[in-house]
Structures are given as structure tokens and as C-alpha cells.
Amino acid sequence: MHTPVKDPTGKTTEYRDENDTCPVCKSDRFLNKNLRLLVSPCYHRMCEGCIDRIFTLGPAPCPIPGCGTILRKMQFIHQTFEDLTVEKEVGVRRRIAKEFNKRRQDFQDLRSYNDYLEMVEDITFNLINNIKVRETEELIEKNRRENAALIELNIQRDERDVSSLQEEEARERRDREQRAAELRMMEEEEKFEKEREKQAIIDGLATSNTDADRLVAKTRAEAAKRSQARRRPDISNLLSSSTTTSYNNTRNTFAKDEPHVPFTDDWDDCHDRFSLRLPGDQSPYYDPTTIEVRKDVEGKYRAGGYMLEEVWERALRSAVMALDITPLPEDE
Amino acid sequence: MTVSLNGQASVVKKSLYEGSTQFRHWRFSSTSLAKLRASQNADAVAKIRNAFEDDSPGSSSTIQFLSADEEYLLVKLYISKISQLCAHFRFPEEVEATAVSYLKRFYLRNTVMDYHPKNVMLTAIFLAAKTSNHPIGIEQYVHSIPKTKPADVLDLEFLVAQSLRFEFTVWHAHRALWGIWLDVQTISGFNQATLEDEYGQALERVRASRMTDAELIFTPSQIALACLHSVSPDLAEQWANLKSPNTADAVMETISRIQEIIDTQSGPPDLAMVKDIDRRLKICTNPEKVVGSKAYMAKQAEIEAEAARKRTKKAEGLRANMERDPFADDAPGATLVPTEPQSAALNPTRDHRML
Amino acid sequence: MELNDQTMRSWIKEAKVGEGTYAVVYRGRHAVTGRPVAIKKIKIGQFKDGLDMSAIREVKYLRELQHPNVIELVDVFSAKTNLNLVLEFLDSDLEVVIKDRSHVFLPADIKSWMAMTLRGLEFCHRNWILHRDLKPNNLLIASDGQLKIADFGLARDFADPNPGFKMTWQVITRWYRPPELLFGCRHYSTAVDMWSVGTIFAELMLRVPYMAGDSDLDQIKTIFRALGTPTEEEWPGHTKLPNYVNIGQFPKSPLNLLFTAASSEALDLLAKCFIYEPRRRITAKEGLHHPYFFALPHPTHPSKLPKVAPTTKAKPLQVDDYEDDMQTEIKTTYREKRDKV
């Protein structure tokens, strides 16, 4: 038997029908306005009154004739679907989804993923239609044992997906509210400005001798400047922060860890086309340009880690590299 | 393509040189170089002719524009001046060689009728000093160069960098030559007494090769070997056989081609001819590039107008986007003001941009 | 520059993801293929000596390097006063991963990151380039988990046949800087980068920076306290370095006291990164062949490494951000008009 699995987003509603009647006590909405029918793990309905009456003192067999499954009060949940068979199917599917939650990336190829899905579907079908129930349950148990770690990991991943979705919705709602508030504020200020502008014009006309038109234009310009300075639309809120979407933090469990290889590139540095002499060799290169370095009177080259052989090596490599590259043909 | 050492062509690895921008983008054949310069010149003439026509119709018919060869001669003259200037600043050979390469490459993408090589040369040296880790301050630089202001050099810097496709790394033959000289010492039986002398002569030939197109066609090690070969052929061949046993013949052939180029192209240009070219250049220089000319001003004005138009159009576009927001209502007179930059620095320790 | 303008038009900026005094970074994509990229717009003309050395270095070296563990410079284009580097888009780096304590690191994870870092670094050194700014912040992580060395603004080639020429000692962020630089030496080599690698290795294990001093002097003290003061035998000539100071004698304490969870091979590699005499310090190539990498467990496959999303908000574009594109359009329009003879 299963434990009832609630819908995690909490968005579904309870099913109700006008003609609801409790099959056990036969009461209906006419008799009992608050009649509420709940569903048992064995997919039988009965009203809260009966449930209280039968199961308050502890586990008891299901009262529906022919069933007799031992039930507890806690196991009853509200009905979502009109058709109880649908309810059962949904329940089974929810449960199986928790047990078998591998994703495409957990498989090497599409074929194996599809095989997996088919197997899961078979199991589901059997459970819904009460076919080979015990065998199927054993399969589920086996899967749980073998894949415990992965199942757990994927459960965490699913939960994270859901919560990040909720977060995002909440954020969007907040953004929208904030924007609305800001715009309201701007409107207020604008109105105030307009009033001030009008007043300034009137005052100006009353007190000065300048041309009326010019005065009006001047005041308008000043007002516009002020409003422009104030208007710093915080456009950043318009664009949702798309780069902070949740990363898939769980590891892709498929890719195999390979043994270490020192180099993963194919560039040839030609170091094997000459044999490098070192400054400390018995007969090093005759190189008048670097005598001072080799003497290193103050020891500063050595202390700092300067390596003369690197200078030689660099020159040597450029000497042997690309010697046999054919020039581009002349007819191009 | 290099072949793995056991002689079989099983693992063909590319040498690091083949990954360089020099190999990938600045490698030509003599014919393709000639074609490039010719078409470059033709385009330039057409454009400048138009500019003259816009300025005063009918004026271009009397002008004798420069040919591709004439352009090349002028560039060569300024290449020859680089060495002098670098010696004055005591720049190392790396800077000098790099500046020459920059000047050559610049004129594969531009014409002297737009930009006079005198200024480009100054800029090329300045830029080469920076990219070779021997940067010099602009004030100090122009101080030693008569009749030159900082702007003369700096104004062109970005253009030069752009013309180089921002590919600043150049591999030079003189370093390869030094490498050969070191390696040759490991061949038993080499004569040390004469070696230093021979090295000096070979190095002079490498410097002469900078006047030619050799670096645009061949690799630095090939050029270096060619220069050594002209001074001590036996030693060069011996070394080449050791390094490239399978392809020695091909290498030798390449070398003889390089010799020919150096022999024919490394001489300084005829001074009289160059003077004449320079004189004619004054007449056929693109008026749009001459600061203060009518055509220059006209072009600037038009660009400004276009810029203003585009700016307002863009601003309106952005505002329209904002207004599509259901919560906004028509706010007359609203213009966008850019938001202030964030204070968070991308890289906190940017003070030490030194060597 | 028609090729340049054509290039500029192939890249579309989508949002601004970072800004500093030196450059602005955008997220963008290719107009046709949709390939995600980061476009780093560097303002030029701000410096009195022309093109900024950092910009030159970044472009110079990235143009030549092609390796899976070095950031790829996809394209370069320029506008009137800006230089735009189109880089592959990497929105995570090792620093944020280390700081996010909700992720537990397996030893195999650390091994994987170290291997990728060393491969990228060895490639730089093979090309005669010192990075000189290695730190977790500059080790970027791609969506497939590959680690890439980035930020070549302080890089420089070495092994130049001019040993008289000095290099600056003021490079590498303090906590990751080797003692030879702290003592002001002007002639050094790849060992400076390997010291940084050692400190990064330690940080991966400790989840906090290993030796964090708050001044150059304090940094030396911190290092000596952690690793013991070097003797003349250990590091010949170091007392003659320009900025040498006698900090005091600190004893060596074995690394396993602090790095309790590390395997003996890991500690051996770590110790070799911290050898005082730069010449004897392990090189990147040697590091890649160290037993640590060949011992079990195998390095974690990059796709399975912990990843953390960036926390920076992307900003929409302003009129200024369209400047470069407008410039191109203007030039094109002008050219078209003029050539319409």
C-alpha cells in the first residue's frame, strides 16, 4: 500500500459534486451541508463522520463490503478527481515518479533511456491494474536498494527546481510592485512640477517686463531640465536577472572519470630536434653575449630564478622549427 | 607539418609556429603579394579620385597617382630609416625588427596616398617598443625627434594596430640565426675561430633581408639558414642535413630562392626616384585625410550629422521599449539618462601596468 | 577598415555584465551562429602614452594561444575609441566556486581543477609566456566544466636574449605572489607562476586563501610563518635581493598538520610548489607528471565538477553601449553615399 502523496506545489483543489453521497452512512448534502468525502488508500470514499466513527480509536478494516483493508484515520486524503480510478492512477504515478526519477542525462544514449522509461511504464501499469502486484513491489524494492544514492540526489534536484521556480515568481511579483510604486511616485512629482511651473509663469508675468512667450519658454525649459534630472528610470528592474537562473547543481552522474593524461594538445615545440647544453655543462655554448649572466657576480640571477638555458632553448627552438615548411606556391 | 621523430609520418603534429598569427595570416607568395599591392593601389586611386572630384570636379584628371611599385619604393626608404632611429634610442634588435615588420604589414592594407610613411614609421617604432616590452613614454620619444608632436605619433597608433589586425607577435630571423649558431657548436669539427666572424656576417645579411619581402614568404629559420649559407655554405648544409634529413633538398631549394630575393631586393632604393615620388605624393595625397582641407571638413561634418541622427533614433528606440511596459503611461518630454556605472571594479589591481 | 566593420556587425551585444575603470564587459552572441560570447570593450585614448599596455598584452598573447585550458580570443574589432575583444563566454570562475561552501569538494575534484590549470599554464610557458596574475578569480569555468586561464593583462614573454633587461617585480596579486617577487627581484622565470599554482592548490583544499597578508611586508611574514624562514642553503643569494628584509626566524612546520585531509602525494606536490629556490621549484611540465595525478582517485570528469552561477545582474544596454555599432553604420552610410558615383 502507499502513503498518500500530496501535490508539492499546493495548487490543486478538492473535487466536489452536488450528488455526493456517503456509501457507508448514505448521508448526502441535503442532510449534511458540510459533507466532505475523503478517499482511503484502497480508493474507497466515505464521509468524515464515518471516518471519525470507525477509525478514531485506531486501525480498523475498511467498511466497504469486499475490501476489509486495515486502515488508519490519517491515511484518508481529499479527492481531486471525479473518477476514482483516475485518482488511483495519479497516486500510483506520483509514487513511482519518486522511486524512478532518473533523467536523460543519467543515460549513455537515447535507447537505454527509452528502455528505462518503458520499464517504468510497465511497473506503473501493473500497479494501477493490480497485475502481479507482489512481483512489481519487489522490483520497486530492488530498484530502491540499488539506486538509493542516485534517487536521493534526484529528489533533492527536483525539490530545488520547484523552490527556485517559486522564488522567481515571488521576485517577479516584487519587481512589478516596486515598479508600480516608483511610477506612481513619478506621477506625483510631475503633477507637482506642473503646478509649480504654472505658478512660476504667472508670477513671472506679473512681476517682469520680458516678452510673455519668452518667459513661458524659459520656465518650460527649466522645468524640463529638472524633470530630466529626476527621471533616472531604473531600467534594471525591467529586465529580469536572467543570469541568476538556477544552475543544475547536481552532478551529471553519467560521465566517467578518466585517468590523467599530462597533455591534451598536439602542438610540437620541437624540443627534441636539438640537444640543449646547460650553463653548468663541461663545455657549454660559447656565447659572449651572456657572460655576465653566467658569472652572476651578485647572485641575483640565481636568487630570482632566471634561467639562462631558457634563453638558449628559445633561440634553438626557433632555429629548428618550421625549417621544412613549403612556401606557398607561386601561381596562387 | 612536422613528422614525429621515428621517421614515420604516423603522428603529424603541428609546430607551434604553425599556430602563430604570422604563419596563419601574414604568409604570401611573391605573386600574391604583387597582386595584393596592385589591387590595393587600384582601389586607393579610385577612392581618392572620387574625393578629388567631390572637392572640385574635373581636378583629378591632371593628377598622376602613384603606382604600386612606386608606393613600395617609398615604404622601403622608410624601412631603411628605422634602424637609425632605433639605434638612437638604444632599442634592442627585437624592437627594430618588429617595427620593420609592422611597417611592411601596414602597407599591405593601406596606401601611402592616405598615410605618409614618415609618420607611420614613427608610430610603428613606438608601438613595436610597447609590444616588445620596452615601452617608452611619448614625451621622451618625441623629444628626440625633430618637428614631431605627440599627436603625430599617437593619432596613428590605433590605426596601425587595427591594420595589423591586432596581431602583434612577430617571429624574427635574427633569433633563429642565434639559435643556429648555438646549435652548430654541438656539431663536432666546427671551427670556433672563424665562427664568431661568420656569425657577424650572417647577422648583417639577416638585417639586409629586412628590406625585402622575405619574411612575408618564408619562415624565420629558413631565412636564418639562408643567411648563414651565404657566409659558410658547407656548415649550413651540414647542419640542415642533420636537422631535416628527409627534406634537405627541399630546404636547400627554399634557401636558394631566399638568396635570390635578398640579392635583388635588399639594396636601398634609388634616392632620386624616391625624391620624385615624394614630390608627387604631395599632389596626390587623399584630401580627406589632410586635416583642415575642404574635403576633410566636409567629411567630418557629414559624419557628425549622421551621428546625431543615429543617436536620437536609438534613444527613441530605447524609450519606446520602455514605454511598452504596461505600467508606464505617456510621460511627455522624457529622455533617457544613462545610469551611473557601477563602482565594482572588474580587476582591482590595475595599477602596475609596467614591464 | 571594411573587414573590421564587417566583424563588428557579426557580434551582437545583449546585456552588460560587468564594468570597471579599464573595461566594460558585455554578454553577446554571434549574429548568425548564435554562439555566446563575452565582449570586453576597452576604452583607449585614456592614457597619455596611447594604447594601454594591458590591452596590448591581452590581445598580443591571446591572439597566439589556442588551448582548451586557455580562454579563447574569438575575434577582435575596433571602433573609434574602443577596442573590443570577443572572448568565449565563461560566466563562472574558481573563486565563486571555492567560496560557495554549499558545495563539498571531493579530492578528485581538486585533482581535476589542478590538472586543467597546470595544462593551461604549461602551454603558456611552452609558448614562452609568463602569466603573472594567477589566482582563482582568473581561472574561469565553462559550462562543460573546463577550466580556462584568463586575463593576460599582466602577462609577458620571457627568455628574451637580453638578460640585461629587467622585469617588474610588482606583479601577481599579493596573496599569490612568491617570495622572490616580494623581495624585489628583477630577473625571474616561470617559477613565479608555479608558486601561485601552489597557493591555489592550498586554497582548494582549505576553502580559504592559504597565506593572506595585508601588506607586502606582512605577506613575507605570513609565508615564512607558514613555511619556515629559508636558510642560505635552501635559497642561495636571497638575502642579496633588492628588497630583502630580515623578518625573523620561523620554524618549518609539516604541511600535513594544516592539510589534514590531503593525501601524501598531494602534500608532496604542494611542497614542491613552495620550494624557496625558484630554480628548484617544480615546473608545470613536471607537475603534470607528478604521481599525485596518476594515483587514485581519477580526476573528476569536468562535466561533473561543482559549478556555481554568477551573482551579477545583467543590465540592459544604454545608448552609449550602442556607440560602436552606430559608428560603423555611420561610416558605412558615408562610404556608400560617397562611392555612389
Side-chain angles (χ1 to χ4, degrees), chain A residues 244-269:
Chain A
T244 58
T245 44
S246 61
Y247 252 65
N248 186 351
N249 272 333
T250 51
R251 300 159 185 249
N252 169 4
T253 47
F254 164 65
K256 228 180 129 215
D257 295 339
E258 311 262 306
H260 168 76
V261 281
F263 300 114
T264 54
D265 69 274
D266 263 329
W267 294 108
D268 183 9
D269 62 4

Side-chain angles (χ1 to χ4, degrees), chain B residues 21 47 130-131 133-134 138 157-158 162 165-166 175 288 299 310 344 347 350 353-355, chain C residues 19 44 49 51-52 54 57 59-60 63-64 78 132 151 156-157 161 165 320 329 334 338:
Chain B
T21 51
K47 257 195 265 179
K130 280 196 209 172
T131 62
N133 295 300
H134 296 92
I138 188 68
E157 193 188 29
F158 197 63
Q162 210 179 24
R165 302 169 51 137
F166 302 99
R175 196 197 294 267
E288 281 179 3
K299 181 183 174 190
K310 286 242 141 69
N347 281 298
R350 273 283 157 236
R353 263 179 240 94
M354 290 159 49
L355 302 160
Chain C
E19 183 154 6
I44 54 141
D49 289 318
L51 264 177
D52 170 44
S54 280
R57 285 187 181 118
V59 176
K60 176 180 175 182
R63 263 300 202 201
E64 309 291 319
S78 51
R132 306 198 303 179
D151 199 339
R156 175 203 155 120
D157 35 314
F165 269 85
D320 282 352
E329 282 186 58
Y334 171 74
R338 185 199 59 193

Side-chain angles (χ1 to χ4, degrees), chain A residues 261-269 271 313 317, chain B residues 13 16, chain C residues 65 67 69-70 114-131 134 149 152 158 190 193-194 197 283-289:
Chain A
V261 281
F263 300 114
T264 54
D265 69 274
D266 263 329
W267 294 108
D268 183 9
D269 62 4
H271 70 273
E313 177 149 21
R317 284 202 205 158
Chain B
K13 291 170 104 183
L16 285 174
Chain C
L65 297 171
H67 188 277
N69 297 117
V70 174
M114 284 299 292
M116 291 192 280
T117 305
L118 280 175
R119 274 191 220 117
L121 186 62
E122 189 278 331
F123 188 68
C124 294
H125 291 171
R126 207 190 314 167
N127 280 278
W128 307 105
I129 296 169
L130 296 176
H131 186 274
L134 286 177
I149 300 182
F152 281 73
F158 65 102
T190 57
D193 281 335
M194 284 309 291
V197 169
T283 65
K285 194 165 175 179
E286 289 163 357
L288 283 168
H289 289 94

Side-chain angles (χ1 to χ4, degrees), chain B residues 12-238:
Chain B
V12 185
K13 291 170 104 183
K14 271 172 131 182
S15 70
L16 285 174
Y17 180 74
E18 288 163 87
S20 70
T21 51
Q22 178 162 335
F23 178 79
R24 288 185 285 130
H25 300 149
W26 299 99
R27 183 180 172 231
F28 308 88
S29 66
S30 329
T31 31
S32 63
L33 269 179
K35 271 198 210 152
L36 178 60
R37 288 183 173 129
S39 73
Q40 160 84 9
N41 174 266
D43 287 344
V45 168
K47 257 195 265 179
I48 299 175
R49 185 162 270 142
N50 279 338
F52 271 110
E53 290 298 316
D54 284 350
D55 210 14
S56 47
S59 58
S60 70
S61 49
T62 52
I63 296 173
Q64 204 189 0
F65 292 99
L66 296 181
S67 71
D69 290 336
E70 290 171 331
E71 290 203 49
Y72 181 51
L73 273 181
L74 194 59
V75 173
K76 269 182 94 169
L77 176 68
Y78 285 95
I79 289 177
S80 66
K81 294 188 189 240
I82 287 180
S83 178
Q84 243 180 321
L85 207 48
C86 286
H88 173 84
F89 286 105
R90 298 183 197 269
F91 283 137
E93 185 134 24
E94 190 76 18
V95 175
E96 185 182 324
T98 308
V100 169
S101 299
Y102 286 177
L103 193 61
K104 270 187 217 166
R105 292 182 184 186
F106 179 84
Y107 282 109
L108 288 180
R109 324 234 312 176
N110 293 284
T111 169
V112 306
M113 295 183 275
D114 274 346
Y115 306 102
H116 197 289
K118 170 172 182 285
N119 295 324
V120 180
M121 174 201 65
L122 294 177
T123 307
I125 296 176
F126 183 69
L127 184 60
K130 280 196 209 172
T131 62
S132 310
N133 295 300
H134 296 92
I136 185 173
I138 188 68
E139 295 291 337
Q140 192 189 351
Y141 186 58
V142 302
H143 183 73
S144 306
I145 308 174
K147 297 194 243 169
T148 311
K149 302 184 306 298
D152 296 336
V153 175
L154 294 178
D155 285 351
L156 282 172
E157 193 188 29
F158 197 63
L159 176 68
V160 172
Q162 210 179 24
S163 307
L164 295 173
R165 302 169 51 137
F166 302 99
E167 290 165 358
F168 297 128
T169 299
V170 185
W171 297 53
H172 293 300
H174 67 268
R175 196 197 294 267
L177 180 65
W178 192 49
I180 298 180
W181 187 67
L182 291 172
D183 202 31
V184 144
Q185 294 176 33
T186 58
I187 301 178
S188 59
F190 79 94
N191 187 347
Q192 204 204 292
T194 54
L195 199 56
E196 212 171 332
D197 229 4
E198 289 172 339
Y199 175 70
Q201 290 175 44
L203 186 57
E204 277 314 308
R205 195 156 166 87
V206 165
R207 289 178 180 146
S209 76
R210 290 190 196 134
M211 286 286 277
T212 73
D213 283 338
E215 72 184 80
L216 297 168
I217 305 171
F218 304 99
T219 70
S221 52
Q222 289 166 344
I223 298 174
L225 186 58
C227 294
L228 181 64
H229 190 271
S230 76
V231 172
S232 34
D234 292 332
L235 188 57
E237 279 183 38
Q238 200 183 356

